[in-house]
Amino acid sequence: MSRVLKTPVPNQMEFLGPHTEYDEEEEEKKYYRRMRLGVVKNVVAASLGGMITYSVYLGLLQMQLILHYDETYREVKYSSLGLEDIDKKMLMGINVTPIVGLLYTPVLIRFLGTKWMMFLASGIYALFVSTNYWERYYTLVPSAVAIGVSIVPLWASLGNYITRMAQQFYEFVNYKEEQEEQRRTTKGACHRYIIIFQSVFYVIFHLCLVFAQLPMLLFLNNFLIDYNHTLCNVQSCGATSSGVITGLNKTVLSHLPPSLLLIKVESIMMGAAFLAMIIFLALCGAAYRPTEEIDLRSIGWGNIFQLPFKHLRDYRLRLLCPFFIYSGFEMLFAVTGLMLSYGVCSVGLENLWALVMAYGLSASIFSALPPLLMWLPRWVPLLTGATLHLCILVGLMIWSPKPRNPNLEPGLLALVAAWGLGTALNKTGLSTLLGMLYEDKDRLDFVYTIYHWWQAIAIFVVYLWSGLPMRAKLSILLVTLLVSCLCYLLMERRLVMKVAYRLPRIPRPRHKVKGYRYLEVDDSDESDVDKSEDEMVERDEADRDTSSQGSDVDLREGEVPGGGGARRRRDNTYEQAGGMG
């Protein structure tokens, strides 16, 4: 007889009991490793989204302004529209609207949150691209105004998002219980991650200046006239010039580009703009938990509106304002002054792409320097970039290159690359400095709002001074740079002397958060309606005793101590963080 093998039946408790191969510590490590990779993915996605958005915006704006500047193009295609006047109003909308950004940015951030603000702003940039299919006053100007409205909220959200990711990465690295107390008490523990993440952002973002030149390099350059014709009436360049390029020929195109080809180029840009929106929407994770976003939305509109002004009580922000202004000056001067009045004036419009690419590549490469300089004091990168710009500005004050001199191109490329080095140290230095100064704040939207609002003010001033002599522009830049450095050194000296700074009072969320959402008492979900009358009386008496002890609470006229009004006012404001660490 054949032997029948019996398969052993496992005990039922083996399925229900603990898994013998399960390692809780190893699974915890894997979980936090995935969380850290998610943070890195968020930073790279936000950087790519911002880079693509501005590549499309700057490339389209440059191509549009060159085409509309050509007299033949305007007369043949849009003879009765007045494109030159439309362009002036469009630039005015882009540069003037951000002036009031300090008023509405906190409200937009309160309503939308950080991630959705970035997504909406990228959608507005895509809207600007779409209006170029039908170039009319009622399409170009409103979309330009919308761009101006979105500039400050977009950059405030981007700056806060990158810094928040650095804070989360530090928390996921030090996730163990014994490290939790160290996370709360150690000052400057996450500085290295703030520096690294801000550098990664600017390394990727500054490439927008490179990709923005692709439409001109691959498309528009085929239709430009030689520099000997476009610069034939230009008499002076550089320090002795006035305006941008005085005497530039009104005809810069050898022949008009076909309309179908223009539509193809704009369609590619439109696709890239939609790609940026998808990146923000699908690849960027939330900066805050839903409960934290609800806490912000539970604050009243009036209190939200006041938050940027309350942050200005801090002397650290006030003393950094001149640097914020210079940051806006130098960025726009690099394009309108250095590359046009010195570069294009000498080597022609057909070489503009090379100058801008050199500037963008230099700013991108040297944005990786701050992580390599972490062992140095934090003021070294910022003041090094300022010193480099100071030397270049002094040299530009006395240099007037001759028009129509293509031999100057190598020297101009080196000059804009050096300016790009200073820009990289300036941008990364300021962004990381704000993250380091306010590392204990969970939300830096309002701090970055002040930074980019002052930048917008500076860009508006550069827009106004376009007709001034070059030496007047350089003098303004020099004075602003010197004042910025002095104010920054004064701020650092006060911090070394441990001068207390005034932290803003921000509203308290209307609901207490203990365990589950909106529970007033631990392990209880009963409402005031379910409580007995005796319990309600006991709670009111306890609140009355507590409020009577708070002698520092201001009372309204005719209001008794312990009344509801005083208690409500006490709960409405609180200090987010206190004193000097």
Side-chain angles (χ1 to χ4, degrees):
M1 296 179 63
S2 61
R3 181 179 299 177
V4 178
L5 297 178
K6 294 184 178 180
T7 305
V9 180
N11 189 359
Q12 185 178 4
M13 294 303 295
E14 293 181 6
F15 294 102
L16 301 179
H19 199 284
T20 55
E21 298 180 0
Y22 178 76
D23 188 347
E24 183 178 357
E25 185 176 353
E26 185 64 27
E27 291 299 322
E28 190 179 35
K29 287 182 180 178
K30 290 180 181 179
Y31 170 77
Y32 281 102
R33 189 184 302 124
R34 290 195 300 269
M35 298 300 288
R36 291 194 295 270
L37 289 175
V39 169
V40 174
K41 180 262 298 179
N42 291 340
V43 173
V44 174
S47 306
L48 284 174
M51 185 269 290
I52 295 174
T53 299
Y54 264 77
S55 297
V56 173
Y57 165 64
L58 294 177
L60 180 63
L61 186 64
Q62 176 181 330
M63 185 177 70
Q64 179 182 354
L65 291 176
I66 292 175
L67 289 174
H68 292 183
Y69 179 82
D70 186 82
E71 195 172 42
T72 307
Y73 181 88
R74 294 198 308 266
E75 290 179 357
V76 171
K77 291 204 169 187
Y78 304 97
S79 58
S80 61
L81 284 182
L83 277 183
E84 197 170 9
D85 182 59
I86 292 176
D87 286 344
K88 290 179 181 178
K89 288 183 170 60
M90 186 181 67
L91 291 175
M92 186 181 298
I94 294 173
N95 292 291
V96 175
T97 313
I99 292 178
V100 294
L102 196 64
L103 304 180
Y104 58 79
T105 299
V107 177
L108 289 178
I109 292 174
R110 174 200 184 273
F111 185 73
L112 296 170
T114 304
K115 173 186 173 178
W116 290 102
M117 187 66 253
M118 295 190 299
F119 172 71
L120 177 65
S122 64
I124 292 176
Y125 281 82
L127 173 67
F128 176 75
V129 179
S130 66
T131 57
N132 281 266
Y133 285 108
W134 187 252
E135 294 178 320
R136 296 294 186 271
Y137 181 90
Y138 54 83
T139 58
L140 293 177
V141 176
S143 64
V145 172
I147 288 273
V149 169
S150 65
I151 287 175
V152 176
L154 172 63
W155 279 99
S157 299
L158 279 172
N160 176 64
Y161 189 83
I162 301 299
T163 306
R164 178 60 178 167
M165 290 300 107
Q167 294 171 343
Q168 287 187 356
F169 193 87
Y170 172 71
E171 292 173 3
F172 295 148
V173 169
N174 303 276
Y175 60 88
K176 295 184 178 179
E177 292 182 2
E178 58 267 21
Q179 296 171 324
E180 187 173 352
E181 185 64 27
Q182 181 183 0
R183 281 207 317 265
R184 296 198 199 99
T185 57
T186 306
K187 192 77 172 176
C190 65
H191 284 183
R192 61 187 300 233
Y193 300 113
I194 294 175
I195 295 172
I196 292 171
F197 283 12
Q198 290 287 354
S199 295
V200 169
F201 171 75
Y202 280 106
V203 165
I204 296 175
F205 176 78
H206 280 136
L207 291 175
C208 71
L209 295 166
V210 177
F211 290 106
Q213 299 310 305
L214 293 181
M216 185 167 183
L217 176 62
L218 303 176
F219 164 67
L220 195 58
N221 257 23
N222 300 323
F223 303 94
L224 292 178
I225 303 181
D226 182 71
Y227 69 94
N228 285 316
H229 175 77
T230 56
L231 301 175
C232 61
N233 297 322
V234 177
Q235 301 298 325
S236 61
C237 297
T240 57
S241 64
S242 296
V244 181
I245 306 178
T246 305
L248 184 66
N249 201 311
K250 290 293 183 180
T251 303
V252 296
L253 300 176
S254 58
H255 56 286
L256 301 184
S259 299
L260 185 59
L261 188 56
L262 274 175
I263 292 174
K264 290 180 180 178
V265 173
E266 290 168 358
S267 299
I268 294 174
M269 291 184 170
M270 193 70 207
F274 276 123
L275 177 62
M277 293 178 64
I278 293 172
I279 289 175
F280 279 126
L281 180 63
L283 297 182
C284 289
Y288 298 93
R289 294 186 296 270
T291 54
E292 294 172 319
E293 295 287 7
I294 293 173
D295 282 343
L296 186 65
R297 290 171 191 155
S298 67
I299 300 171
W301 296 99
N303 287 321
I304 285 288
F305 174 80
Q306 298 172 20
L307 277 178
F309 301 97
K310 289 181 178 180
H311 279 75
L312 283 172
R313 296 172 179 173
D314 189 347
Y315 72 79
R316 297 175 297 175
L317 266 184
R318 292 200 304 271
L319 290 175
L320 283 175
C321 285
F323 239 127
F324 299 160
I325 295 173
Y326 176 74
S327 180
F329 278 170
E330 65 92 7
M331 181 175 57
L332 209 58
F333 173 78
V335 177
T336 61
L338 188 57
M339 295 183 195
L340 294 182
S341 298
Y342 284 86
V344 171
C345 189
S346 300
V347 298
L349 193 60
E350 62 271 22
N351 292 309
L352 175 61
W353 65 271
L355 297 172
V356 180
M357 275 192 171
Y359 175 65
L361 282 174
S362 172
S364 175
I365 293 170
F366 290 116
S367 292
L369 278 180
L372 305 177
L373 304 176
M374 281 193 291
W375 54 278
L376 294 173
R378 67 186 179 194
W379 54 266
V380 172
L382 194 58
L383 293 186
T384 301
T387 304
L388 179 60
H389 276 183
L390 181 67
C391 297
I392 295 176
L393 289 172
V394 172
L396 292 178
M397 289 279 286
I398 57 176
W399 185 43
S400 298
K402 294 181 179 180
R404 302 177 298 280
N405 189 2
N407 297 326
L408 291 176
E409 186 174 1
L412 287 168
L413 291 175
L415 181 63
V416 297
W419 191 272
L421 168 59
T423 298
L425 296 177
N426 178 281
K427 294 291 184 290
T428 54
L430 284 177
S431 296
T432 55
L433 180 63
L434 290 177
M436 293 160 68
L437 291 178
Y438 295 93
E439 62 174 336
D440 51 353
K441 289 175 68 69
D442 289 332
R443 299 204 69 102
L444 277 77
D445 309 77
F446 310 107
V447 175
Y448 283 101
T449 296
I450 295 170
Y451 170 28
H452 294 291
W453 179 71
W454 279 112
Q455 267 197 339
I457 294 291
I459 291 172
F460 172 65
V461 173
V462 174
Y463 168 73
L464 292 180
W465 81 17
S466 58
L468 290 178
M470 179 55 66
R471 285 199 171 97
K473 302 176 186 177
L474 295 172
S475 300
I476 295 173
L477 279 168
L478 278 171
V479 171
T480 308
L481 180 58
L482 292 174
V483 172
S484 303
C485 294
L486 291 176
C487 290
Y488 173 68
L489 292 174
L490 177 60
M491 184 207 74
E492 291 286 1
R493 184 173 180 273
R494 287 188 180 182
L495 291 177
V496 170
M497 296 174 63
K498 297 189 180 301
V499 177
Y501 44 82
R502 186 176 182 182
L503 290 169
R505 289 181 178 271
I506 68 172
R508 181 189 292 274
R510 293 175 184 173
H511 304 285
K512 297 179 182 177
V513 183
K514 294 184 178 180
Y516 190 68
R517 188 78 193 146
Y518 302 139
L519 298 190
E520 297 291 334
V521 184
D522 289 338
D523 302 325
S524 172
D525 60 352
E526 73 176 333
S527 62
D528 290 344
V529 178
D530 300 326
K531 294 181 179 179
S532 64
E533 185 176 352
D534 294 337
E535 291 175 341
M536 296 288 290
V537 171
E538 289 177 3
R539 193 191 66 178
D540 289 342
E541 288 177 354
D543 289 343
R544 192 175 298 112
D545 293 339
T546 303
S547 61
S548 63
Q549 297 172 5
S551 58
D552 59 335
V553 179
D554 298 329
L555 301 178
R556 292 194 185 96
E557 184 179 358
E559 188 173 59
V560 295
R567 187 165 63 252
R568 280 194 301 271
R569 267 202 326 282
R570 187 183 66 247
D571 289 338
N572 276 344
T573 56
Y574 76 107
E575 292 286 351
Q576 185 180 23
M580 294 285 293

